[in-house]
Amino acid sequence: MSAHDAVPVSLAEIARIAGVGRAAVSNWRRRHDSFPTRIGGTDVSPQFSLAEVEQWLRGNGKLGDIAGRELLWPRFEALGSRNETGLAIAEAARRMRSPKARISHPELSARARDLVIQAAHVGREEGPRETFEYLLQRWLETHVRQLSTTPPQLAALMARIALAVRFGPTQDGLTLLDPACGTGHLAAAAVQEYDSPGLEVLACERDPALAALTAGRLEFLAEDREIRTRVATADTLRDDPFAGAKADVALCNPPFNERDWGYEELATDQRWVHGLPPRTEPELAWVQHLLSHLKPGGAAVVVLPPAVASRKAGRRIRGSLLRTGALRAVVSLPPGSAQPHSVSLQLWVLRAASDGPATAPPSQNALLVDATRFARPGTREPSPDWDSLGSFVLTAMATLDQADQKPPQGAVRVPLLDLLDDEVDVTPGRYTAAAAEPTRKELVGKWDEFGALLIDLAEHSRLLSALDFKAGTSQTTTTVGDLVKAGALTLRAGQQPPEPATTARGDAVPLLTIADLLHDGTPSAVIATDSAPAIAEEGDVVVAGVARAFDAWVHEGPPTALGPQLYVLRVDAEKVEAHFLAGCLCAPANGRQAGTHASSSSRVDIRRLQVLQLPLEKQAVYAATFRRLRAFEELLTATDGSGRGLVSDMSDRLAAGGLTA
């Protein structure tokens, strides 16, 4: 096989196939002359032939019991096209279940068809569903910038809310609708949450590859259940494939901020019972589309950007939704709950009027729930505490129709008369008490958390204080600029994006700026991927090149675009350890030495920053200590915040009286 025909794999992929760390692969390459030679890529990111790598791993006893699916993925990735790869994975799923099934997508290339047959064979040997889920997950990870998926935890929470809120009989089964299903995360969650017989799933997606993958996922879930599934490929708003169908439950995570949603051609559509959605309010078109498909008493839960709750253009429709009782609750989620991760998204809980014996009481209020406080503390990337978040939201939902039950702290029933003002703003944070008096149990819990932080802090302090530094020693250093010239690093500078930052989803990434770092470190906007001049991937080193925010760290989490005066350094793992590099760079003296002039607003010349010259093995020792020092710093911040919160809570309790002697 020529190098042109070979399936390329990176060092990271070889490590994944062999089940080892990337450093181990680098050691194999350095120590074994028989290791395959590079067929492409660069010195920093070399590529090798998959066939040669597999042969070498087997011959040297390095492959172990690795599943065949690990060797499948690079072949799928080599197809190149996102759509063809997705369709091929979906076709492989069909073949795993039905070996004689015909190809349903004739546009697949001969190479893709051959791969479908190989994958089906591996799936039948190692487990069809497990093989499909593995390939699907790798595909989603590879195309994370172009796809917007609903995290499984959020999907499960939405399904539980909808099932709890709906009214109507349960003995006749249940119909579920997802009109913008993507790769089926919401539909799959509903199938797993509804454990009774007679489930019918209606799903629609305009992207053929996503629709095919949803169909594959649902067919696996339906193997051992009484489930009927229909997955359509269509633009739901313009050409509804399920027109006239009614659902007990609807779940949706629609595309945001789409101006070309069909405003002109749909101006007289009968779905707009609450008013024609303005061109700038496509999300309100999705809300009314969901309501048009609900059976009496049926419930829908939809993910929406926070601006939909307050934008002036949508106030008339919001008012109608409230007056008719269609909008029953709004939940503000913590940042990181779904893409875009830097935004506090909302769940709108909708319910159609019931005409049966289990009719809900007339709606005189709406339940507004502020769950933004359930962000996981002490993390650079936003990440919700899903267990606490889910418990809180479901507890609040249990009070939705129970006038005699008080919602938990952070949730409030707001009379419609208070909501139906000139703004019709249903943002929960406007109405929930931001800092209600903590209970005794909550105070005890906070003191326990503070004590645990102190224990961790003391342990880190003990280990760091025991380090010994030899006096009078000097170590040779080099600069970032020299490392870039030597090919050990690549350096890219962030810039002001050429277009305004938005909260669009899909082919978009969070945008991190110096202002964000000075605030709380959370990206405050997202931009189109193509507009981002520098994107930090997981494992890259990010440097803030201005004195007032000077820092360097190893990036974790999803790809993130960098704004002005932020830089991304990508290391050659055979020459530089990322945490070692970040630790050297972030030393305050290093930043002062490389500063352009002595002021807090001065720029730091990244190329002049100093790095110790050490062998890779020694770098690993330094890297471990740098990481412990960084953890110590984060613990200090968390302890400070926890302690200040306790001072505030205790002061409020004391000022309110009630202290027992």
Side-chain angles (χ1 to χ4, degrees), residues 49-79:
S49 165
L50 174 62
E52 293 179 2
V53 167
E54 181 181 356
Q55 183 180 5
W56 188 89
L57 291 174
R58 291 190 187 280
N60 287 269
K62 305 291 187 183
L63 205 52
D65 297 325
I66 298 301
R69 65 180 77 111
E70 297 279 358
L71 296 166
L72 270 180
W73 171 248
R75 295 184 170 91
F76 276 98
E77 190 174 25
L79 293 176

Side-chain angles (χ1 to χ4, degrees), residues 126-322:
E126 301 183 359
R129 184 171 175 180
E130 294 79 5
T131 301
F132 168 72
E133 289 290 348
Y134 171 80
L135 293 173
L136 173 60
Q137 187 58 40
R138 293 302 307 272
W139 185 79
L140 291 172
E141 291 171 357
T142 300
H143 302 290
V144 66
R145 297 184 196 172
Q146 292 81 39
L147 301 170
S148 181
T149 59
T150 307
Q153 303 94 325
L154 178 59
L157 176 59
M158 292 171 64
R160 291 169 189 166
I161 292 173
L163 291 170
V165 167
R166 82 178 189 96
F167 278 91
T170 58
Q171 66 271 18
D172 297 329
L174 182 132
T175 299
L176 164 75
L177 171 70
D178 183 353
C181 63
T183 53
H185 286 74
L186 285 171
V191 170
Q192 292 163 345
E193 293 297 327
Y194 183 76
D195 56 3
S196 300
L199 177 62
E200 180 181 27
V201 179
L202 308 178
C204 182
E205 172 57 51
R206 64 188 178 189
D207 185 314
L210 303 186
L213 290 166
T214 295
R217 170 178 272 178
L218 293 179
E219 286 166 7
F220 275 120
L221 291 173
E223 284 182 337
D224 302 322
R225 298 271 304 275
E226 184 187 337
I227 300 174
R228 302 184 305 278
T229 64
R230 284 192 285 164
V231 181
T233 303
D235 184 334
T236 307
L237 292 182
R238 286 187 169 92
D239 184 20
D240 186 359
F242 303 121
K246 295 294 184 178
D248 300 280
V249 166
L251 304 174
C252 191
N253 185 356
F256 301 162
N257 298 338
E258 284 197 340
R259 300 300 174 92
D260 184 24
W261 57 269
Y263 174 77
E264 289 84 359
E265 58 263 49
L266 298 174
T268 59
D269 197 285
Q270 295 183 355
R271 288 171 292 182
W272 314 145
V273 174
H274 301 279
L276 172 64
R279 186 191 305 273
T280 57
E281 297 286 336
E283 295 84 6
L284 293 177
W286 285 100
V287 165
Q288 295 191 74
H289 175 78
L290 291 170
L291 285 169
S292 73
H293 275 288
L294 289 181
K295 294 178 182 179
V301 182
V302 55
V303 182
L304 295 176
V308 181
S310 59
R311 279 194 297 241
K312 184 177 180 180
R315 63 183 178 181
R316 183 168 62 89
I317 294 177
R318 291 196 300 272
S320 178
L321 292 169
L322 289 168

Side-chain angles (χ1 to χ4, degrees), residues 292-628:
S292 73
H293 275 288
L294 289 181
K295 294 178 182 179
V301 182
V302 55
V303 182
L304 295 176
V308 181
S310 59
R311 279 194 297 241
K312 184 177 180 180
R315 63 183 178 181
R316 183 168 62 89
I317 294 177
R318 291 196 300 272
S320 178
L321 292 169
L322 289 168
R323 280 190 294 270
T324 59
L327 178 57
R328 297 297 293 118
V330 177
V331 180
S332 288
L333 298 169
S337 297
Q339 293 174 285
H341 293 285
S342 59
V343 177
S344 176
L345 298 172
Q346 294 179 351
L347 297 180
W348 280 27
V349 180
L350 313 165
R351 188 167 63 200
S354 177
D355 59 2
T359 301
S363 173
Q364 301 297 324
N365 52 57
L367 179 67
L368 302 183
V369 182
D370 186 355
T372 56
R373 72 179 188 272
F374 290 99
R376 197 179 300 277
T379 58
R380 183 177 291 274
E381 301 292 338
S383 173
D385 180 350
W386 286 110
D387 289 340
S388 299
L389 170 63
S391 176
F392 167 68
V393 172
L394 291 172
T395 299
M397 287 298 143
T399 70
L400 184 64
D401 300 306
Q402 306 298 325
D404 58 339
Q405 291 187 21
K406 182 180 179 181
Q409 177 188 332
V412 62
R413 290 195 199 91
V414 181
L416 296 187
L417 288 177
D418 293 342
L419 292 170
L420 295 172
D421 54 15
D422 291 339
E423 297 180 354
V424 196
D425 188 341
V426 292
T427 303
R430 287 193 61 182
Y431 302 93
T432 56
E437 184 179 280
T439 65
R440 172 178 173 78
K441 182 178 179 181
E442 288 171 337
L443 274 177
V444 170
K446 290 182 178 182
W447 279 112
D448 288 344
E449 291 175 5
F450 182 70
L453 286 170
L454 289 177
I455 291 172
D456 289 344
L457 196 64
E459 177 63 11
H460 279 70
S461 174
R462 182 185 67 80
L463 293 171
L464 289 170
S465 64
L467 294 175
D468 186 25
F469 296 92
K470 295 181 180 179
T473 60
S474 61
Q475 183 69 44
T476 304
T477 62
T478 186
T479 65
V480 168
D482 289 337
L483 290 173
V484 171
K485 291 177 183 177
L489 303 175
T490 57
L491 169 65
R492 296 196 68 183
Q495 298 175 19
Q496 189 68 33
E499 59 185 42
T502 67
T503 57
R505 72 200 286 272
D507 188 10
V509 289
L511 173 66
L512 181 68
T513 65
I514 292 293
D516 295 333
L517 290 177
L518 293 173
H519 182 238
D520 62 2
T522 302
S524 57
V526 296
I527 63 170
T529 303
D530 294 341
S531 302
I535 293 179
E537 306 278 356
E538 187 163 3
D540 289 342
V541 176
V542 179
V543 183
V546 62
R548 68 181 184 278
F550 177 68
D551 197 4
W553 65 92
V554 177
H555 179 69
E556 298 175 350
T560 300
L562 302 180
Q565 298 179 319
L566 287 169
Y567 303 83
V568 59
L569 297 171
R570 187 159 296 165
V571 304
D572 178 352
E574 296 183 1
K575 300 176 181 177
V576 181
E577 208 282 342
H579 288 277
F580 164 77
L581 176 65
C584 288
L585 297 183
C586 71
N590 206 356
R592 290 192 296 269
Q593 183 178 350
T596 54
H597 53 86
S599 76
S600 64
S601 62
S602 68
R603 291 185 300 105
V604 175
D605 187 344
I606 302 302
R607 292 179 177 272
R608 289 173 52 196
L609 289 171
Q610 301 289 312
V611 182
L612 287 170
Q613 283 190 305
L614 295 174
L616 201 59
E617 293 79 5
K618 190 69 172 176
Q619 289 182 31
V621 177
Y622 273 76
T625 306
F626 278 134
R627 296 180 77 169
R628 183 173 295 280

